[in-house]
Amino acid sequence: MGDGSLGQLLVPAPYGWGLTVLQCTAVTQVPYAETLLALATMEGGPEHPPDVVETEDFVLCELADHDESAEHAAHLWTADVPDDRDLWFLWAGTGAHRVHRLDTFRLCPAVLRELATRTVTTCAYFDRHPGPHSFSVTDPLGDLIAEHVHSEVRRFVAEGEAPGKGAPDAPDTSDAPDPSDAPDTDAT
C-alpha cells in the first residue's frame, strides 16, 4: 500500500478467528407510536412509516448472546442517506422494568475477507456494538427454518411440483361455449 495508509485491516475479535457464537434470544414488543415518530422524522426514513411497523410488532435481539450489562438491539430501518445511518431499537430489562430507546447509528466498519473464496462480508450491526460482529453470530432457529424451506423446495422439484416446471397449466375451459354452437360467419 505504498501511499502510507494502513488501508482496511481486520483485527481478530477477542472471540477468535472463525469462531461462531449464538444469537441472543431476547424478544420484546416495539412501541408503535414512538417507532412511527422515529421513522417519520429520521433523515432517509420511509415514505409511509405505517408500512414498516405494525401495532403488535415484536423484535428479536440481533446481537450475539450477551449478559444483562449490554443492551439488546434490533435493526428497524436502513436510511437512504449518504452517511449510512440506520434506525435501531435498543432495550434492557423485562416487563415493567424494561427501558428502551430508538436511535440512529452508523454501520460497523468491520469486514471479513475470505481470501480462498474472494468474498467480503460486512458486519450488519451498528458501529461500536457490544460483542462479536454479525458474521460471527449464528441463529440456529433461523438456520433450521432455512434448511426446512430448502428441503421442501428440493422435494417439490424432485416431484415435479415446482412452479414454472414443465408446461403451464391449461386454462379452465369448462364454462366456455362449444365451438360447434358458434354462428357461421364465413357464409358466402
Side-chain angles (χ1 to χ4, degrees), residues 9-17 19-22 62-64 107-112 121-138:
L9 297 176
L10 181 61
V11 179
Y15 304 95
W17 293 107
L19 181 64
T20 60
V21 293
L22 296 177
E62 298 178 35
L63 303 175
L107 293 174
C108 177
V111 295
L112 175 65
T121 306
T122 59
C123 179
Y125 299 153
F126 53 91
D127 196 16
R128 299 187 189 340
H129 59 84
H133 299 292
S134 64
F135 41 75
S136 297
V137 177
T138 185

mmCIF file of all heavy atoms in Angstrom, residues 9-17 19-22 62-64 107-112 121-138:
data_model
loop_
_atom_site.group_PDB
_atom_site.id
_atom_site.type_symbol
_atom_site.label_atom_id
_atom_site.label_comp_id
_atom_site.label_asym_id
_atom_site.label_seq_id
_atom_site.Cartn_x
_atom_site.Cartn_y
_atom_site.Cartn_z
ATOM 1 N N LEU A 9 -7.868 -2.907 7.799
ATOM 2 C CA LEU A 9 -7.294 -4.041 8.499
ATOM 3 C C LEU A 9 -8.383 -4.766 9.251
ATOM 4 O O LEU A 9 -9.249 -4.139 9.849
ATOM 5 C CB LEU A 9 -6.229 -3.584 9.501
ATOM 6 C CG LEU A 9 -5.003 -2.902 8.920
ATOM 7 C CD1 LEU A 9 -4.103 -2.436 10.045
ATOM 8 C CD2 LEU A 9 -4.252 -3.857 8.025
ATOM 9 N N LEU A 10 -8.366 -6.053 9.228
ATOM 10 C CA LEU A 10 -9.308 -6.839 10.000
ATOM 11 C C LEU A 10 -8.550 -7.404 11.181
ATOM 12 O O LEU A 10 -7.669 -8.234 11.026
ATOM 13 C CB LEU A 10 -9.916 -7.965 9.162
ATOM 14 C CG LEU A 10 -10.939 -8.827 9.877
ATOM 15 C CD1 LEU A 10 -12.117 -7.974 10.328
ATOM 16 C CD2 LEU A 10 -11.424 -9.924 8.976
ATOM 17 N N VAL A 11 -8.874 -6.911 12.337
ATOM 18 C CA VAL A 11 -8.201 -7.329 13.555
ATOM 19 C C VAL A 11 -9.022 -8.432 14.189
ATOM 20 O O VAL A 11 -10.249 -8.324 14.271
ATOM 21 C CB VAL A 11 -8.068 -6.123 14.527
ATOM 22 C CG1 VAL A 11 -7.396 -6.531 15.809
ATOM 23 C CG2 VAL A 11 -7.306 -4.998 13.840
ATOM 24 N N PRO A 12 -8.403 -9.511 14.650
ATOM 25 C CA PRO A 12 -9.190 -10.588 15.243
ATOM 26 C C PRO A 12 -9.935 -10.106 16.481
ATOM 27 O O PRO A 12 -9.389 -9.361 17.289
ATOM 28 C CB PRO A 12 -8.152 -11.646 15.599
ATOM 29 C CG PRO A 12 -6.842 -10.953 15.589
ATOM 30 C CD PRO A 12 -6.983 -9.772 14.683
ATOM 31 N N ALA A 13 -11.189 -10.511 16.570
ATOM 32 C CA ALA A 13 -12.008 -10.171 17.733
ATOM 33 C C ALA A 13 -11.525 -10.982 18.925
ATOM 34 O O ALA A 13 -10.836 -11.989 18.760
ATOM 35 C CB ALA A 13 -13.466 -10.496 17.436
ATOM 36 N N PRO A 14 -11.905 -10.577 20.128
ATOM 37 C CA PRO A 14 -11.486 -11.341 21.299
ATOM 38 C C PRO A 14 -12.049 -12.758 21.286
ATOM 39 O O PRO A 14 -11.624 -13.598 22.041
ATOM 40 C CB PRO A 14 -12.039 -10.529 22.473
ATOM 41 C CG PRO A 14 -13.007 -9.572 21.901
ATOM 42 C CD PRO A 14 -12.669 -9.393 20.463
ATOM 43 N N TYR A 15 -12.987 -13.021 20.386
ATOM 44 C CA TYR A 15 -13.604 -14.339 20.308
ATOM 45 C C TYR A 15 -12.841 -15.269 19.375
ATOM 46 O O TYR A 15 -13.165 -16.431 19.247
ATOM 47 C CB TYR A 15 -15.064 -14.214 19.863
ATOM 48 C CG TYR A 15 -15.822 -13.299 20.786
ATOM 49 C CD1 TYR A 15 -15.973 -11.957 20.488
ATOM 50 C CD2 TYR A 15 -16.342 -13.783 21.976
ATOM 51 C CE1 TYR A 15 -16.640 -11.117 21.356
ATOM 52 C CE2 TYR A 15 -16.999 -12.945 22.849
ATOM 53 C CZ TYR A 15 -17.153 -11.613 22.536
ATOM 54 O OH TYR A 15 -17.807 -10.792 23.401
ATOM 55 N N GLY A 16 -11.859 -14.759 18.676
ATOM 56 C CA GLY A 16 -11.023 -15.588 17.819
ATOM 57 C C GLY A 16 -11.509 -15.644 16.386
ATOM 58 O O GLY A 16 -12.622 -15.274 16.070
ATOM 59 N N TRP A 17 -10.639 -16.107 15.516
ATOM 60 C CA TRP A 17 -10.973 -16.239 14.096
ATOM 61 C C TRP A 17 -11.901 -17.414 13.878
ATOM 62 O O TRP A 17 -11.691 -18.489 14.398
ATOM 63 C CB TRP A 17 -9.702 -16.470 13.278
ATOM 64 C CG TRP A 17 -8.781 -15.300 13.249
ATOM 65 C CD1 TRP A 17 -7.604 -15.199 13.892
ATOM 66 C CD2 TRP A 17 -8.956 -14.079 12.548
ATOM 67 N NE1 TRP A 17 -7.022 -13.990 13.631
ATOM 68 C CE2 TRP A 17 -7.846 -13.274 12.804
ATOM 69 C CE3 TRP A 17 -9.957 -13.580 11.735
ATOM 70 C CZ2 TRP A 17 -7.692 -12.012 12.274
ATOM 71 C CZ3 TRP A 17 -9.797 -12.318 11.198
ATOM 72 C CH2 TRP A 17 -8.686 -11.556 11.471
ATOM 73 N N LEU A 19 -14.609 -18.405 14.932
ATOM 74 C CA LEU A 19 -15.451 -18.907 15.998
ATOM 75 C C LEU A 19 -16.828 -18.268 15.892
ATOM 76 O O LEU A 19 -16.933 -17.059 15.731
ATOM 77 C CB LEU A 19 -14.832 -18.583 17.360
ATOM 78 C CG LEU A 19 -15.588 -19.058 18.581
ATOM 79 C CD1 LEU A 19 -15.641 -20.586 18.598
ATOM 80 C CD2 LEU A 19 -14.921 -18.555 19.838
ATOM 81 N N THR A 20 -17.862 -19.066 15.944
ATOM 82 C CA THR A 20 -19.209 -18.509 15.898
ATOM 83 C C THR A 20 -19.848 -18.614 17.268
ATOM 84 O O THR A 20 -19.561 -19.528 18.039
ATOM 85 C CB THR A 20 -20.098 -19.233 14.859
ATOM 86 O OG1 THR A 20 -20.175 -20.606 15.209
ATOM 87 C CG2 THR A 20 -19.554 -19.072 13.462
ATOM 88 N N VAL A 21 -20.702 -17.656 17.553
ATOM 89 C CA VAL A 21 -21.433 -17.630 18.813
ATOM 90 C C VAL A 21 -22.920 -17.571 18.491
ATOM 91 O O VAL A 21 -23.319 -17.173 17.399
ATOM 92 C CB VAL A 21 -21.006 -16.434 19.691
ATOM 93 C CG1 VAL A 21 -19.572 -16.579 20.153
ATOM 94 C CG2 VAL A 21 -21.187 -15.126 18.968
ATOM 95 N N LEU A 22 -23.735 -17.959 19.451
ATOM 96 C CA LEU A 22 -25.174 -17.963 19.240
ATOM 97 C C LEU A 22 -25.758 -16.561 19.330
ATOM 98 O O LEU A 22 -25.263 -15.719 20.069
ATOM 99 C CB LEU A 22 -25.853 -18.866 20.276
ATOM 100 C CG LEU A 22 -25.501 -20.344 20.192
ATOM 101 C CD1 LEU A 22 -26.182 -21.101 21.315
ATOM 102 C CD2 LEU A 22 -25.890 -20.916 18.845
ATOM 103 N N GLU A 62 -30.648 -8.947 17.730
ATOM 104 C CA GLU A 62 -29.819 -9.469 16.650
ATOM 105 C C GLU A 62 -28.375 -9.700 17.053
ATOM 106 O O GLU A 62 -27.613 -10.311 16.310
ATOM 107 C CB GLU A 62 -29.873 -8.506 15.456
ATOM 108 C CG GLU A 62 -31.275 -8.372 14.892
ATOM 109 C CD GLU A 62 -31.361 -7.392 13.744
ATOM 110 O OE1 GLU A 62 -30.394 -7.300 12.960
ATOM 111 O OE2 GLU A 62 -32.391 -6.719 13.627
ATOM 112 N N LEU A 63 -28.004 -9.216 18.223
ATOM 113 C CA LEU A 63 -26.620 -9.327 18.668
ATOM 114 C C LEU A 63 -26.294 -10.740 19.127
ATOM 115 O O LEU A 63 -27.188 -11.566 19.300
ATOM 116 C CB LEU A 63 -26.361 -8.345 19.813
ATOM 117 C CG LEU A 63 -26.637 -6.874 19.511
ATOM 118 C CD1 LEU A 63 -26.463 -6.047 20.770
ATOM 119 C CD2 LEU A 63 -25.737 -6.380 18.393
ATOM 120 N N ALA A 64 -25.022 -10.983 19.360
ATOM 121 C CA ALA A 64 -24.596 -12.262 19.933
ATOM 122 C C ALA A 64 -25.137 -12.362 21.353
ATOM 123 O O ALA A 64 -25.422 -11.346 22.003
ATOM 124 C CB ALA A 64 -23.074 -12.340 19.956
ATOM 125 N N LEU A 107 -23.103 2.378 10.403
ATOM 126 C CA LEU A 107 -22.815 0.951 10.303
ATOM 127 C C LEU A 107 -21.441 0.636 10.867
ATOM 128 O O LEU A 107 -20.525 1.453 10.807
ATOM 129 C CB LEU A 107 -22.858 0.511 8.837
ATOM 130 C CG LEU A 107 -24.217 0.555 8.167
ATOM 131 C CD1 LEU A 107 -24.076 0.234 6.687
ATOM 132 C CD2 LEU A 107 -25.166 -0.402 8.827
ATOM 133 N N CYS A 108 -21.287 -0.564 11.383
ATOM 134 C CA CYS A 108 -19.994 -1.037 11.863
ATOM 135 C C CYS A 108 -19.063 -1.152 10.651
ATOM 136 O O CYS A 108 -19.452 -1.707 9.615
ATOM 137 C CB CYS A 108 -20.161 -2.397 12.536
ATOM 138 S SG CYS A 108 -18.610 -3.122 13.098
ATOM 139 N N PRO A 109 -17.840 -0.667 10.749
ATOM 140 C CA PRO A 109 -16.936 -0.713 9.599
ATOM 141 C C PRO A 109 -16.212 -2.051 9.418
ATOM 142 O O PRO A 109 -15.474 -2.218 8.450
ATOM 143 C CB PRO A 109 -15.925 0.400 9.916
ATOM 144 C CG PRO A 109 -15.888 0.448 11.407
ATOM 145 C CD PRO A 109 -17.289 0.115 11.863
ATOM 146 N N ALA A 110 -16.423 -3.011 10.313
ATOM 147 C CA ALA A 110 -15.686 -4.278 10.242
ATOM 148 C C ALA A 110 -16.075 -5.093 9.010
ATOM 149 O O ALA A 110 -17.243 -5.127 8.616
ATOM 150 C CB ALA A 110 -15.925 -5.106 11.492
ATOM 151 N N VAL A 111 -15.082 -5.737 8.419
ATOM 152 C CA VAL A 111 -15.309 -6.622 7.279
ATOM 153 C C VAL A 111 -14.547 -7.922 7.502
ATOM 154 O O VAL A 111 -13.511 -7.947 8.167
ATOM 155 C CB VAL A 111 -14.862 -5.994 5.935
ATOM 156 C CG1 VAL A 111 -15.698 -4.779 5.613
ATOM 157 C CG2 VAL A 111 -13.397 -5.651 5.944
ATOM 158 N N LEU A 112 -15.082 -8.982 6.946
ATOM 159 C CA LEU A 112 -14.415 -10.276 6.961
ATOM 160 C C LEU A 112 -14.073 -10.611 5.520
ATOM 161 O O LEU A 112 -14.960 -10.711 4.670
ATOM 162 C CB LEU A 112 -15.329 -11.352 7.553
ATOM 163 C CG LEU A 112 -14.794 -12.780 7.510
ATOM 164 C CD1 LEU A 112 -13.556 -12.908 8.388
ATOM 165 C CD2 LEU A 112 -15.870 -13.758 7.965
ATOM 166 N N THR A 121 -17.504 -9.943 3.572
ATOM 167 C CA THR A 121 -18.750 -9.864 4.339
ATOM 168 C C THR A 121 -18.629 -8.702 5.301
ATOM 169 O O THR A 121 -17.669 -8.625 6.069
ATOM 170 C CB THR A 121 -18.988 -11.172 5.128
ATOM 171 O OG1 THR A 121 -18.933 -12.271 4.224
ATOM 172 C CG2 THR A 121 -20.330 -11.141 5.828
ATOM 173 N N THR A 122 -19.597 -7.800 5.255
ATOM 174 C CA THR A 122 -19.577 -6.662 6.170
ATOM 175 C C THR A 122 -20.386 -6.997 7.415
ATOM 176 O O THR A 122 -21.298 -7.820 7.376
ATOM 177 C CB THR A 122 -20.182 -5.406 5.514
ATOM 178 O OG1 THR A 122 -21.524 -5.687 5.133
ATOM 179 C CG2 THR A 122 -19.382 -4.980 4.297
ATOM 180 N N CYS A 123 -20.045 -6.350 8.503
ATOM 181 C CA CYS A 123 -20.809 -6.516 9.733
ATOM 182 C C CYS A 123 -22.126 -5.773 9.564
ATOM 183 O O CYS A 123 -22.159 -4.640 9.102
ATOM 184 C CB CYS A 123 -20.038 -5.960 10.933
ATOM 185 S SG CYS A 123 -20.945 -6.124 12.490
ATOM 186 N N ALA A 124 -23.230 -6.405 9.929
ATOM 187 C CA ALA A 124 -24.561 -5.827 9.761
ATOM 188 C C ALA A 124 -25.011 -5.018 10.971
ATOM 189 O O ALA A 124 -26.113 -4.473 10.973
ATOM 190 C CB ALA A 124 -25.575 -6.940 9.490
ATOM 191 N N TYR A 125 -24.165 -4.920 11.995
ATOM 192 C CA TYR A 125 -24.535 -4.203 13.215
ATOM 193 C C TYR A 125 -24.114 -2.741 13.138
ATOM 194 O O TYR A 125 -23.492 -2.298 12.183
ATOM 195 C CB TYR A 125 -23.894 -4.856 14.435
ATOM 196 C CG TYR A 125 -24.301 -6.293 14.667
ATOM 197 C CD1 TYR A 125 -23.447 -7.153 15.327
ATOM 198 C CD2 TYR A 125 -25.519 -6.788 14.226
ATOM 199 C CE1 TYR A 125 -23.800 -8.469 15.569
ATOM 200 C CE2 TYR A 125 -25.878 -8.112 14.449
ATOM 201 C CZ TYR A 125 -25.016 -8.941 15.125
ATOM 202 O OH TYR A 125 -25.362 -10.234 15.358
ATOM 203 N N PHE A 126 -24.422 -2.022 14.194
ATOM 204 C CA PHE A 126 -24.055 -0.616 14.284
ATOM 205 C C PHE A 126 -22.628 -0.470 14.815
ATOM 206 O O PHE A 126 -22.083 -1.379 15.440
ATOM 207 C CB PHE A 126 -25.043 0.154 15.169
ATOM 208 C CG PHE A 126 -25.256 -0.456 16.526
ATOM 209 C CD1 PHE A 126 -24.478 -0.081 17.606
ATOM 210 C CD2 PHE A 126 -26.263 -1.389 16.726
ATOM 211 C CE1 PHE A 126 -24.667 -0.645 18.860
ATOM 212 C CE2 PHE A 126 -26.473 -1.949 17.977
ATOM 213 C CZ PHE A 126 -25.668 -1.583 19.046
ATOM 214 N N ASP A 127 -22.042 0.682 14.546
ATOM 215 C CA ASP A 127 -20.671 0.950 14.974
ATOM 216 C C ASP A 127 -20.573 0.917 16.496
ATOM 217 O O ASP A 127 -21.442 1.415 17.195
ATOM 218 C CB ASP A 127 -20.238 2.315 14.448
ATOM 219 C CG ASP A 127 -18.735 2.508 14.508
ATOM 220 O OD1 ASP A 127 -18.006 1.516 14.669
ATOM 221 O OD2 ASP A 127 -18.296 3.667 14.379
ATOM 222 N N ARG A 128 -19.537 0.294 16.984
ATOM 223 C CA ARG A 128 -19.235 0.155 18.411
ATOM 224 C C ARG A 128 -20.258 -0.717 19.156
ATOM 225 O O ARG A 128 -20.526 -0.511 20.337
ATOM 226 C CB ARG A 128 -19.101 1.518 19.087
ATOM 227 C CG ARG A 128 -17.988 2.379 18.516
ATOM 228 C CD ARG A 128 -17.786 3.622 19.314
ATOM 229 N NE ARG A 128 -16.933 4.679 18.898
ATOM 230 C CZ ARG A 128 -15.940 4.728 18.048
ATOM 231 N NH1 ARG A 128 -15.593 3.691 17.396
ATOM 232 N NH2 ARG A 128 -15.243 5.802 17.799
ATOM 233 N N HIS A 129 -20.823 -1.681 18.453
ATOM 234 C CA HIS A 129 -21.763 -2.618 19.084
ATOM 235 C C HIS A 129 -21.015 -3.503 20.073
ATOM 236 O O HIS A 129 -19.811 -3.741 19.923
ATOM 237 C CB HIS A 129 -22.459 -3.480 18.025
ATOM 238 C CG HIS A 129 -21.504 -4.282 17.209
ATOM 239 N ND1 HIS A 129 -21.002 -5.496 17.608
ATOM 240 C CD2 HIS A 129 -20.927 -4.022 16.004
ATOM 241 C CE1 HIS A 129 -20.178 -5.961 16.696
ATOM 242 N NE2 HIS A 129 -20.095 -5.089 15.704
ATOM 243 N N PRO A 130 -21.719 -4.026 21.080
ATOM 244 C CA PRO A 130 -21.058 -4.935 22.017
ATOM 245 C C PRO A 130 -20.901 -6.327 21.388
ATOM 246 O O PRO A 130 -21.678 -6.724 20.524
ATOM 247 C CB PRO A 130 -22.027 -4.986 23.204
ATOM 248 C CG PRO A 130 -23.362 -4.678 22.609
ATOM 249 C CD PRO A 130 -23.099 -3.737 21.467
ATOM 250 N N GLY A 131 -19.891 -7.045 21.808
ATOM 251 C CA GLY A 131 -19.716 -8.434 21.380
ATOM 252 C C GLY A 131 -19.170 -8.585 19.983
ATOM 253 O O GLY A 131 -18.717 -7.626 19.364
ATOM 254 N N PRO A 132 -19.223 -9.821 19.472
ATOM 255 C CA PRO A 132 -18.653 -10.114 18.150
ATOM 256 C C PRO A 132 -19.485 -9.514 17.014
ATOM 257 O O PRO A 132 -20.637 -9.119 17.199
ATOM 258 C CB PRO A 132 -18.662 -11.643 18.092
ATOM 259 C CG PRO A 132 -19.691 -12.065 19.053
ATOM 260 C CD PRO A 132 -19.740 -11.020 20.123
ATOM 261 N N HIS A 133 -18.878 -9.488 15.832
ATOM 262 C CA HIS A 133 -19.540 -8.953 14.642
ATOM 263 C C HIS A 133 -20.584 -9.938 14.114
ATOM 264 O O HIS A 133 -20.553 -11.126 14.423
ATOM 265 C CB HIS A 133 -18.494 -8.647 13.569
ATOM 266 C CG HIS A 133 -17.491 -7.634 14.012
ATOM 267 N ND1 HIS A 133 -17.807 -6.317 14.228
ATOM 268 C CD2 HIS A 133 -16.179 -7.754 14.315
ATOM 269 C CE1 HIS A 133 -16.737 -5.669 14.628
ATOM 270 N NE2 HIS A 133 -15.725 -6.514 14.689
ATOM 271 N N SER A 134 -21.494 -9.432 13.290
ATOM 272 C CA SER A 134 -22.613 -10.253 12.793
ATOM 273 C C SER A 134 -22.140 -11.490 12.036
ATOM 274 O O SER A 134 -22.811 -12.524 12.064
ATOM 275 C CB SER A 134 -23.528 -9.421 11.903
ATOM 276 O OG SER A 134 -22.857 -8.982 10.739
ATOM 277 N N PHE A 135 -20.983 -11.422 11.366
ATOM 278 C CA PHE A 135 -20.523 -12.584 10.612
ATOM 279 C C PHE A 135 -20.003 -13.694 11.516
ATOM 280 O O PHE A 135 -19.690 -14.779 11.046
ATOM 281 C CB PHE A 135 -19.491 -12.217 9.537
ATOM 282 C CG PHE A 135 -18.461 -11.204 9.944
ATOM 283 C CD1 PHE A 135 -17.419 -11.541 10.787
ATOM 284 C CD2 PHE A 135 -18.546 -9.910 9.471
ATOM 285 C CE1 PHE A 135 -16.463 -10.608 11.147
ATOM 286 C CE2 PHE A 135 -17.590 -8.961 9.820
ATOM 287 C CZ PHE A 135 -16.547 -9.312 10.666
ATOM 288 N N SER A 136 -19.940 -13.440 12.822
ATOM 289 C CA SER A 136 -19.547 -14.480 13.775
ATOM 290 C C SER A 136 -20.725 -14.982 14.601
ATOM 291 O O SER A 136 -20.539 -15.779 15.510
ATOM 292 C CB SER A 136 -18.471 -13.927 14.727
ATOM 293 O OG SER A 136 -17.315 -13.582 14.013
ATOM 294 N N VAL A 137 -21.912 -14.497 14.294
ATOM 295 C CA VAL A 137 -23.104 -14.859 15.065
ATOM 296 C C VAL A 137 -23.960 -15.807 14.244
ATOM 297 O O VAL A 137 -24.219 -15.564 13.066
ATOM 298 C CB VAL A 137 -23.917 -13.600 15.449
ATOM 299 C CG1 VAL A 137 -25.190 -13.972 16.187
ATOM 300 C CG2 VAL A 137 -23.072 -12.665 16.292
ATOM 301 N N THR A 138 -24.407 -16.877 14.863
ATOM 302 C CA THR A 138 -25.266 -17.836 14.178
ATOM 303 C C THR A 138 -26.621 -17.898 14.871
ATOM 304 O O THR A 138 -26.720 -17.744 16.085
ATOM 305 C CB THR A 138 -24.611 -19.232 14.118
ATOM 306 O OG1 THR A 138 -25.441 -20.092 13.353
ATOM 307 C CG2 THR A 138 -24.409 -19.834 15.489
#
